């Protein structure tokens, strides 16, 4: 089920997006971008690369939680996951990206 990218401005004035699954759950969060266009480009990169397993970098935190970063083709981080309690939870989170990003809509919650 397609999700949505919610564009917003953070407290520091950077533009960011959250990818939300069809059920409303956050599945990926962006880095900060200096412009709205750059943030939209990052979201579009997620949409075009979400089916490529090489675009996901899996890791484990010092506290034993599991997480991943989504990388652009140039290996820049374009999205970070939440922490998961298990490897299978993390892997399910990666699969959720493709379901949510494919055909996702954009919701602009910025002031301009």
């Amino acid at each position: 089920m397609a999700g949505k990218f919610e564009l917003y401005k953070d407290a520091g004035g950077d533009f960011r997006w959250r990818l939300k699954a069809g059920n409303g759950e956050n599945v990926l969060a962006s880095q900060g971008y200096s412009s709205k266009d750059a943030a939209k480009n990052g979201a579009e990169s997620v949409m075009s690369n979400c089916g490529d397993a090489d675009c996901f970098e899996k890791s484990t935190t010092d506290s034993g939680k599991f997480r991943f970063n989504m990388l652009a083709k140039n290996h820049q981080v374009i999205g970070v996951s939440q922490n998961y309690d298990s490897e299978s939870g993390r892997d399910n989170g990666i699969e959720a990206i493709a379901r949510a990003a494919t055909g996702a809509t954009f919701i602009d919650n910025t002031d301009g």
Side-chain angles (χ1 to χ4, degrees):
M1 175 185 279
K4 61 184 172 184
F5 287 94
E6 291 184 344
L7 298 170
Y8 66 98
K9 252 185 162 177
D10 68 17
D14 285 338
F15 292 89
R16 295 179 180 266
W17 50 257
R18 290 188 238 8
L19 175 59
K20 291 194 168 204
N23 65 2
E25 183 177 336
N26 289 335
V27 292
L28 195 65
S30 77
Q31 63 183 13
Y33 294 92
S34 59
S35 73
K36 187 187 297 191
D37 285 341
K40 286 182 178 180
N41 287 341
E44 289 168 1
S45 181
V46 170
M47 292 173 71
S48 63
N49 295 305
C50 62
D52 185 349
D54 291 337
C55 289
F56 293 93
E57 176 182 69
K58 298 176 181 180
S59 62
T60 306
T61 68
D62 291 340
S63 63
K65 300 285 186 178
F66 300 89
R67 62 181 301 114
F68 64 87
N69 291 329
M70 186 171 181
L71 308 175
K73 294 295 184 185
N74 65 3
H75 303 288
Q76 294 277 61
V77 174
I78 54 175
V80 296
S81 75
Q82 63 186 20
N83 289 336
Y84 295 90
D85 292 329
S86 67
E87 281 185 86
S88 63
R90 175 189 60 204
D91 294 345
N92 289 338
I94 290 171
E95 291 174 10
I97 301 301
R99 289 191 303 272
T102 303
T105 58
F106 287 85
I107 307 297
D108 188 344
N109 293 323
T110 65
D111 291 330

